[in-house]
């Protein structure tokens, strides 16, 4: 209804396809393919509160992770999620951080120590592409590589 309904009708009349935002995101970012080669998925979402998460496309990311049996860790400034609520959202871990690059680096180190397996040989060293999306629906990718001797 309203302008969104009118816009959808216009797109459809012009021969365009109307797809759910999560479907478009997964396709445009090759989320399934990225998850297939990942060890972990990290989601950056500033406010980890159930009402906000309903609009954050988290379900699209966690579904792609679940299809590959991957753990999902959420990083945010605030969280009111209980362990049960986090599990309902498909999250295996929740980390809150303060502002600043140093805080994010500490969170990254914590995630690497607690959630990523150490490569056993050079063939494994490049593994670890973790797709994620933030609240502005910006697709990102993180590559973790450990030094192996």
């Amino acid at each position: 209804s309203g302008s969104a309904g009118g816009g959808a009708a216009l797109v459809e009349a012009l021969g365009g396809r109307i797809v759910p935002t999560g479907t478009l995101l997964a396709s445009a970012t090759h989320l399934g393919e990225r998850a297939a080669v990942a060890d972990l998925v990290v989601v950056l979402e500033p406010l980890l509160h159930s009402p906000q998460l309903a609009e954050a496309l988290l379900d699209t990311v966690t579904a792609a992770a679940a299809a590959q049996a991957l753990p999902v860790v959420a990083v945010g400034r605030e969280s009111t999620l209980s362990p049960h609520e986090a599990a309902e959202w498909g999250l295996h871990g929740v980390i809150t951080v303060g502002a600043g690059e140093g805080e994010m680096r500490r969170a990254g180190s914590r995630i690497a120590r607690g959630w990523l397996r150490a490569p056993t040989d050079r063939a494994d060293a490049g593994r670890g592409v973790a797709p994620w999306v933030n609240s502005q629906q910006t697709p990102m990718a993180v590559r973790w590589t450990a030094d192996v001797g």
Side-chain angles (χ1 to χ4, degrees):
S1 69
S3 63
L10 176 68
V11 168
E12 198 168 53
L14 293 171
R17 287 185 316 134
I18 299 171
V19 297
T21 306
T23 303
L24 179 64
L25 170 74
S27 175
T29 63
H30 306 284
L31 193 57
E33 293 90 347
R34 289 180 176 191
V37 297
D39 293 319
L40 171 70
V41 175
V42 176
V43 176
L44 300 180
E45 186 62 46
L47 304 175
L48 297 167
H49 307 297
S50 285
Q52 284 86 0
L53 291 178
E55 299 173 7
L57 301 176
L58 181 63
D59 56 341
T60 299
V61 177
T62 57
Q68 300 296 326
L70 295 173
V72 180
V73 177
V75 178
R77 286 192 320 261
E78 298 176 11
S79 175
T80 57
L81 298 177
S82 69
H84 177 77
E85 289 172 313
E88 287 182 324
W89 281 105
L91 301 174
H92 298 87
V94 174
I95 297 174
T96 56
V97 296
E101 185 178 327
E103 289 286 319
M104 292 302 284
R105 287 186 186 280
R106 280 189 284 284
S109 293
R110 182 175 167 194
I111 292 167
R113 283 190 316 270
W115 289 94
L116 290 173
R117 66 180 174 82
T120 56
D121 60 31
R122 291 208 182 270
D124 276 350
R127 230 172 113 70
V129 176
W132 56 267
V133 193
N134 65 17
S135 62
Q136 288 76 38
Q137 299 156 7
T138 306
M140 308 295 279
V142 175
R143 178 169 291 280
W144 174 75
T145 306
D147 288 330
V148 289

